[in-house]
Amino acid sequence: PRPRAEFVSAVSGGLASDGASPKCPQGLVRFEASLERPVEGRLLRQGDLLVFDSEERKMLLWTVLLFSNGFYLSPKHDGGDLMSFGMSPFSEVRDVGPGLETARPGEGREFSTSPEDHSPFGNLAAFYLSVFNQGFGFIFASPEDDGSDVATALRESWKGAMRMAIQSYSRSLFPAFELAAAPMPDRPATATRLLAGYLLRDDTLVEDVEDALRAEIIAVPYCELHGHCGGAARFDMYERECCTRLESSVELKATTRFVDRGDDRAPCCFAIDDMIFSARSCHEKHVWLRALRNVKVKLFHRAPDPSPEDLTYWR
């Protein structure tokens, strides 16, 4: 089965523009992608790993079965139960080891793993799968991590497989489309468009981590970056690529923050201030960030508003 999240809704609630086409589907697509959903898809990797238990504060041995939309943990110690966890597009995989700090899985709090504080990792060079929009994560390590090249290669292969699973699951949520730079002749609102395409957006609204585990909401807006005008630029989010209904819009200024989560951690994720997005690929993320930063530079230097010829050149 295709590793898709559960479809939630495609309810139209945006502002209609002139000339809406009856052939264009309406409604912003949203998916529910909680960590508790069933794990399915293609088996990518399986093997034994140590997993950090936040209650006992020690590493316990589990068999990990990694699929294209999540993973199972099967206990190899007394008192454990089989558990499954779905992937999130808003995840990252990064190294962690003695002397570093990371979030405690399930609680989103900082705690020290320095040798002075009796690190639960011992001398293990562990790695961290973090669902960063929820403050939740898992810490893994090789069961025989003696610092050898074999142990290092095993950790790196697991990290690569988990990144592959995150990207595979994320891509499954996108419709078929091509990035666009040219405006739509029948949509005057797109006249100053510089870049447009679908992005995944984190729409989860939770009071605590437990709620997040039950219902992570992923929206799939058609996003459009405009050239600056009057000291600001628009980042519009439409329900669909026909751009007949505007779902929301963000005003970009010289002080707007663009955050890249890093290619080696969360290859497709970036943020505009507090809004978290995931692109379809690492390449498309860089295209978006380059366009956004180019606009920000013009805003910072108070560049004059672009002419139609300027917009054509920038595209």
Side-chain angles (χ1 to χ4, degrees):
R2 194 178 183 201
R4 296 188 66 86
E6 180 181 353
F7 179 76
V8 176
S9 66
V11 178
S12 179
L15 301 176
S17 60
D18 295 335
S21 170
K23 296 181 181 180
C24 179
Q26 299 298 318
L28 177 66
V29 173
R30 286 188 173 92
F31 295 97
E32 179 177 329
S34 72
L35 290 179
E36 295 179 341
R37 72 183 184 280
V39 172
E40 56 188 17
R42 182 167 60 95
L43 179 64
L44 301 178
R45 188 181 178 89
Q46 68 181 74
D48 294 342
L49 287 174
L50 294 170
V51 183
F52 180 63
D53 187 305
S54 60
E55 293 183 358
E56 297 190 29
R57 290 190 60 79
K58 64 181 180 180
M59 306 294 282
L60 299 177
L61 188 63
W62 298 77
T63 296
V64 182
L65 296 99
L66 179 65
F67 288 79
S68 51
N69 79 329
F71 59 93
Y72 287 96
L73 293 178
S74 177
K76 300 201 74 174
H77 58 275
D78 294 336
D81 298 317
L82 179 67
M83 298 185 291
S84 66
F85 301 93
M87 284 295 186
S88 167
F90 310 109
S91 302
E92 65 181 1
V93 181
R94 58 186 172 91
D95 290 327
V96 60
L100 298 179
E101 290 189 347
T102 184
R104 179 177 297 190
E107 297 186 12
R109 295 200 300 264
E110 298 295 311
F111 73 104
S112 173
T113 60
S114 65
E116 303 83 54
D117 291 339
H118 307 291
S119 166
F121 309 138
N123 293 320
L124 300 177
F127 65 95
Y128 185 39
L129 171 62
S130 167
V131 186
F132 54 79
N133 66 325
Q134 300 184 29
F136 187 89
F138 304 85
I139 299 174
F140 301 94
S142 168
E144 298 179 359
D145 195 340
D146 55 3
S148 66
D149 292 341
V150 173
T152 300
L154 180 63
R155 292 195 305 273
E156 292 304 311
S157 64
W158 269 105
K159 286 161 55 182
M162 289 187 177
R163 290 191 185 106
M164 181 186 302
I166 294 168
Q167 292 181 61
S168 174
Y169 171 63
S170 298
R171 283 195 298 269
S172 75
L173 302 178
F174 282 92
F177 76 99
E178 298 292 336
L179 288 178
M184 302 173 68
D186 58 341
R187 297 286 182 267
T190 69
T192 58
R193 169 191 290 182
L194 295 177
L195 182 65
Y198 283 103
L199 291 170
L200 305 183
R201 185 184 70 202
D202 177 30
D203 273 14
T204 308
L205 296 175
V206 297
E207 297 298 327
D208 53 38
V209 172
E210 290 302 319
D211 287 337
L213 298 183
R214 289 194 291 270
E216 178 186 59
I217 303 300
I218 301 169
V220 194
Y222 189 76
C223 300
E224 181 180 62
L225 174 64
H226 291 264
H228 65 285
C229 179
R234 296 198 330 268
F235 185 81
D236 291 340
M237 288 168 276
Y238 291 92
E239 292 180 352
R240 301 296 176 99
E241 62 187 299
C242 48
C243 300
T244 58
R245 288 186 177 273
L246 182 65
E247 188 259 345
S248 61
S249 183
V250 176
E251 185 179 63
L252 306 180
K253 299 182 179 180
T255 55
T256 302
R257 294 177 298 113
F258 306 131
V259 180
D260 182 356
R261 299 295 301 192
D263 292 351
D264 59 338
R265 293 167 59 166
C268 302
C269 294
F270 66 97
I272 301 176
D273 282 338
D274 295 330
M275 301 182 68
I276 303 174
F277 295 92
S278 177
R280 184 171 51 178
S281 66
C282 182
H283 171 71
E284 289 189 5
K285 177 194 71 172
H286 284 297
V287 172
W288 277 106
L289 285 173
R290 182 176 180 180
L292 288 163
R293 287 166 177 163
N294 284 345
V295 169
K296 182 173 180 176
V297 168
K298 294 175 175 62
L299 292 172
F300 181 81
H301 291 286
R302 300 180 181 178
D305 294 348
S307 65
E309 292 75 19
D310 291 330
L311 293 172
T312 299
Y313 177 76
W314 294 347
R315 294 182 186 116

